[in-house]
Structure formats: structure tokens, C-alpha cells
Amino acid sequence: DLAGLLAIAQQNYPKADEAFSEAVALKPDSDEYRFKLAVVRVQTATGEELRQSRETLSRMSTNAVYRADALRALFAEAVRRKADAEAKFHSTGLLQTGKATMADRINHLILLRRTSDRGFAASLAEAKSAAVASRASVAELSRWMCHQGLARD
């Protein structure tokens, strides 16, 4: 587990895949190891491995322990594929978990804005409301809004 996490921190995904594959082989019933392997593979795999990783993450997104992280990984993978409707589905689900970060909210806004989604204004208002919980979130959202020319909003 530690070797896999270290490999991820170093962005050495083949090494992370190897470490988590070994962990799953040793403990095939471990949701944690299967989850970590799926997160690595959804970023790097192709074909059948990618399909299986998406399936694993979709299943695990129904588990409260893994829901937010699974949806975050599925969102990122859908964005890479330019599957906007799927990305919006996962992002919306993530925002509903109560575990969304301000970065998650901003990523959602980026997607909505890029796709000219009519829900952008309402989502921006929700992000502003959520941001008041911390100065860091206010700064993060304000910085993004300034870069997008939305500072007056």
C-alpha cells in the first residue's frame, strides 16, 4: 500500500499499478486495494482494463466511504475523453456528496462554462455560498473568477 501511494506521489503509475495489483492479489476482498488500483488504471489503462476500472469505480461510487473519490476519478476520466455529459453527471454527483472541495466546484464550473450549460449561473451562486465556509475557498474561487473575467459577478 505504501509503495503504491509513494509511486502515485511520484507520478510513477506503472509502479503504482504493480504495487496495487500485488495488494489485490494478496487481499482480493479488500475494497480499499481494488479502489486504489481502479483509480490508477482509470488514468492509465486502455481497453478492457480501462472498462473494468470504470466499472469498479461506478460500483464503488455507491459506497459512502469511496463515493466522493470514485466520482472525482470518473469525472476526470470523462473529461479526458471529452465525454461532457458523463463528466457533468459525475461532477453533479460529487457536488451532492457533501465532500466536494472548492477545486471540485471550480472544475464543475469550468465544465459548465465550456459547454455553455444553462446551469452555470446557479452553480456559480452555489459555489459562492460554499466558499464562505473558509478564507482559502473564498480566495480560490475569487482567483478563478478573476482569471475568467467574472470578478464583477
Side-chain angles (χ1 to χ4, degrees):
D1 189 33
L2 186 57
L5 295 174
L6 180 60
I8 289 172
Q10 296 170 340
Q11 296 183 349
N12 185 343
Y13 297 110
K15 182 92 171 156
D17 186 298
E18 179 183 328
F20 291 128
S21 291
E22 289 174 9
V24 168
L26 292 172
K27 292 187 175 183
D29 294 333
S30 171
D31 285 343
E32 182 179 352
Y33 292 142
R34 285 186 293 122
F35 174 76
K36 289 175 181 176
L37 180 60
V39 168
V40 169
R41 286 188 174 169
V42 82
Q43 297 175 58
T44 60
T46 58
E48 184 59 20
E49 276 188 349
L50 176 58
R51 188 195 65 72
Q52 287 177 357
S53 296
R54 275 193 215 124
E55 195 174 283
T56 297
L57 291 171
S58 290
R59 264 194 324 273
M60 296 188 97
S61 72
T62 64
N63 179 322
V65 173
Y66 299 103
R67 182 167 173 71
D69 290 326
L71 291 169
R72 194 173 285 118
L74 289 165
F75 167 76
E77 192 273 333
V79 167
R80 277 193 297 279
R81 284 187 294 117
K82 297 179 174 46
D84 294 336
E86 194 175 327
K88 181 181 175 187
F89 175 80
H90 295 309
S91 182
T92 300
L94 174 57
L95 296 181
Q96 294 170 351
T97 66
K99 295 182 180 180
T101 65
M102 186 51 61
D104 295 325
R105 292 182 183 285
I106 290 170
N107 284 333
H108 185 73
L109 289 168
I110 290 167
L111 175 67
L112 295 181
R113 192 162 194 225
R114 184 173 53 76
T115 60
S116 302
D117 191 287
R118 286 185 275 165
F120 177 79
S123 290
L124 180 58
E126 289 171 15
K128 288 177 186 178
S129 294
V132 299
S134 80
R135 288 187 301 228
S137 292
V138 169
E140 190 175 0
L141 182 60
S142 296
R143 192 170 29 256
W144 178 79
M145 289 176 65
C146 285
H147 285 124
Q148 300 303 310
L150 299 170
R152 289 180 283 144
D153 295 342

